[in-house]
Amino acid sequence: MSKRHITSAIVSTVLAASLALAGCGSGGDEATTTTDGKTVVTFWQQQFEDYQQAWFKKQVDAYNKTQDKVKVELQVVPADTWAQKLKAAQAAGKAPDVATTSYGNIPAGAANGELAELDGLLPAEAFTDIKDNVKDFVTINGKHFAYPMLVEPSTVLYYRKDLVQAAGLDPANPPKSWSELSTWATKLTSGKVKGMTIASIPADLGWSSWGLQYNACGHLPVADDWSKSVATDSCFAQLLDFYRSLYQSGVMPKQPKVGYADGSPYGQGEVAMMAGGSWVVGQLKNEFPAMIEKTAVAPFPSIDGDQTKPTATLGGWTLTVDGKSKAKEQAAGFIGWLLAGDPALMADFFKASGFSKYTVRASVDRALETNPDATADPFMKTISDKVVPYGKAEPAYPWEIALAFGTAIESAMKGNADVAAALKKADSEINDIIKKQSLAGTAPQR
């Protein structure tokens, strides 16, 4: 999760550039066509890892060759200008027909009319193939406004099998509860190697703790209708105590060199265990391949050892159709072919990702079960079977709420305030945000 602040001069430049880029978008009275009569579907893909750009290009080229009615034109947009370009294009009525959209942006996009309803544009069976705990991610008031591509659990436990064994612990029986994790972290702290690492600054704690907030309380620190804060519920005190005990017991780095999303402290051997997102699998494979053989993964421990309770939220990406597109049917047809069609297509994507991202479709799971590369991967099955099914959606409320609660966790962790005082301050700040932004009653209905 990143929050970018851009000067007004840069914004002006970006807006001008985005209007030029948007010229072949979905504006006008009719869909754009090629000289030979094909409907043009513009597809903006936010720039991700290099392999994703290559994969999307390969599939767009393949789709354009499979039929003679539609031509999909792919445009890769750098992540640091994505939001500004898309907003400017939407304001000008020239948004792309298809765009990559995060789960968290779906509620606002649907409410603002920026996203087209996909029911009727895609067959019903396309939606029944989506995993039950992911269906709500793309659903508002019973209607589908996106088709999901992948999920990335925010929190997985990574641990060094060799160090675990050397400490007299069983690598085949990782900790299942917070108390067991603390015991492991203490035993694994030796010399310059800390027992574990976890987020410790507000900007990281604000989002990386969502799964553990659900784990501790069954809900987030805001009422379901966003009418008031519930940050002082006693269960959240247990969560802050957990973070505080890890930090103050000396089992984790006090001043981490990188943020939560970066797994390099583990890859470099500075810690024996790590709380990290599933994307760290890809980082280890690419940057620290020698660590793969030494590493095992497990669901992050639960407050009481019940590993069917969520410990992670599931971030990720979807494809959406612009609400004002003049080529909605053709755009949805492409999405259906790519994301909801032959399971082998998406199985190929997950292989290209190094199995660091995870499918949202039951049929793709079945395809991966017969894929020798997938079955040989040391991490995929554990994360797919034991983490993804219990993951929750990232909240759609304003980031300021998440940051207020993340600040409370940090205050308690580092002794800047006791747990009760930290939660009381967060409660007051969240209620103030709700009031100032008129959030009461505006929570999206899944």
Side-chain angles (χ1 to χ4, degrees):
M1 168 146 326
S2 61
K3 302 291 167 183
R4 300 180 179 91
H5 297 83
I6 302 175
T7 65
S8 58
I10 295 176
V11 169
S12 298
T13 302
V14 167
L15 291 178
S18 67
L19 290 173
L21 179 59
C24 59
S26 59
D29 295 330
E30 297 181 359
T32 303
T33 57
T34 62
T35 55
D36 56 354
K38 296 178 183 177
T39 300
V40 173
V41 169
T42 54
F43 172 22
W44 284 11
Q45 179 226 330
Q46 184 169 328
Q47 187 172 15
F48 302 119
E49 301 96 329
D50 289 345
Y51 76 83
Q52 289 208 45
Q53 274 69 258
W55 186 84
F56 275 115
K57 184 180 185 304
K58 179 177 75 171
Q59 301 306 339
V60 167
D61 290 345
Y63 182 73
N64 287 338
K65 292 175 182 176
T66 64
Q67 45 73 48
D68 59 5
K69 302 294 185 184
V70 177
K71 181 182 180 183
V72 177
E73 295 184 347
L74 174 65
Q75 172 72 53
V76 178
V77 180
D80 59 353
T81 60
W82 173 267
Q84 290 75 34
K85 286 179 182 294
L86 186 61
K87 184 176 181 180
Q90 289 168 336
K94 296 182 178 181
D97 300 297
V98 176
T100 49
T101 303
S102 68
Y103 293 115
N105 285 329
I106 292 170
N112 295 336
E114 295 163 356
L115 305 180
E117 180 188 338
L118 297 183
D119 302 275
L121 295 176
L122 291 175
E125 54 266 29
F127 298 107
T128 58
D129 192 24
I130 300 173
K131 294 181 179 182
D132 288 342
N133 67 317
V134 179
K135 288 177 181 177
D136 285 352
F137 295 11
V138 296
T139 306
I140 306 294
N141 292 323
K143 297 178 180 179
H144 300 94
F145 288 90
Y147 199 89
M149 180 176 181
L150 59 90
V151 289
E152 296 179 285
S154 62
T155 314
V156 176
L157 181 67
Y158 297 79
Y159 60 95
R160 286 275 299 273
K161 293 182 289 185
D162 55 336
L163 298 182
V164 167
Q165 192 164 17
L169 301 165
D170 182 4
N173 187 29
K176 295 179 174 58
S177 68
W178 291 356
S179 61
E180 289 175 1
L181 179 69
S182 295
T183 298
W184 271 48
T186 298
K187 291 184 177 181
L188 288 167
T189 298
S190 177
K192 293 183 179 180
V193 178
K194 294 293 186 180
M196 75 168 297
T197 184
I198 196 169
S200 59
I201 62 171
D204 287 340
L205 289 163
W207 62 272
S208 67
S209 69
W210 281 328
L212 297 182
Q213 292 171 35
Y214 276 117
N215 190 260
C217 291
H219 59 80
L220 297 167
V222 183
D224 288 344
D225 62 357
W226 297 355
S227 61
K228 63 178 181 178
S229 169
V230 292
T232 54
D233 283 6
S234 60
C235 48
F236 288 121
Q238 293 177 274
L239 176 64
L240 269 62
D241 271 328
F242 168 65
Y243 277 98
R244 181 189 56 78
S245 65
L246 289 177
Y247 187 87
Q248 296 190 8
S249 65
V251 301
M252 61 178 284
K254 292 292 181 69
Q255 294 181 323
K257 301 173 185 176
V258 296
Y260 175 85
D262 189 338
S264 58
Y266 178 87
Q268 293 166 352
E270 298 172 10
V271 296
M273 294 190 295
M274 169 179 61
S278 65
W279 54 84
V280 176
V281 167
Q283 184 181 9
L284 294 179
K285 289 178 177 178
N286 291 328
E287 299 178 23
F288 308 101
M291 196 63 76
I292 295 299
E293 199 171 308
K294 301 176 182 179
T295 297
V297 297
F300 195 82
S302 176
I303 186 171
D304 56 5
D306 182 351
Q307 298 211 292
T308 66
K309 291 181 178 178
T311 53
T313 48
L314 302 178
W317 296 91
T318 72
L319 292 185
T320 55
V321 175
D322 179 58
K324 297 179 181 178
S325 171
K326 302 304 186 294
K328 289 186 178 70
E329 291 185 9
Q330 295 87 346
F334 167 66
I335 292 175
W337 177 86
L338 183 65
L339 301 188
D342 184 354
L345 280 181
M346 288 309 301
D348 179 67
F349 171 82
F350 294 113
K351 178 181 177 180
S353 78
F355 303 107
S356 61
K357 304 178 193 300
Y358 299 88
T359 180
V360 297
R361 293 169 55 198
S363 62
V364 178
D365 265 337
R366 292 191 293 270
L368 290 170
E369 287 171 0
T370 62
N371 183 306
D373 295 306
T375 56
D377 187 86
F379 311 124
M380 196 201 81
K381 185 170 179 59
T382 297
I383 296 175
S384 293
D385 293 353
K386 297 183 178 181
V387 181
V388 171
Y390 308 110
K392 301 283 284 185
E394 295 179 342
Y397 53 58
W399 168 244
E400 291 87 346
I401 291 176
L403 188 59
F405 197 80
T407 301
I409 298 176
E410 186 207 36
S411 294
M413 283 181 83
K414 299 180 179 179
N416 298 327
D418 63 33
V419 168
L423 289 174
K424 184 176 180 181
K425 183 177 180 181
D427 190 72
S428 176
E429 290 178 354
I430 292 170
N431 278 326
D432 191 50
I433 293 164
I434 289 170
K435 182 178 180 180
K436 287 180 177 178
Q437 299 191 29
S438 302
L439 297 178
T442 65
Q445 301 299 307
R446 300 288 187 178

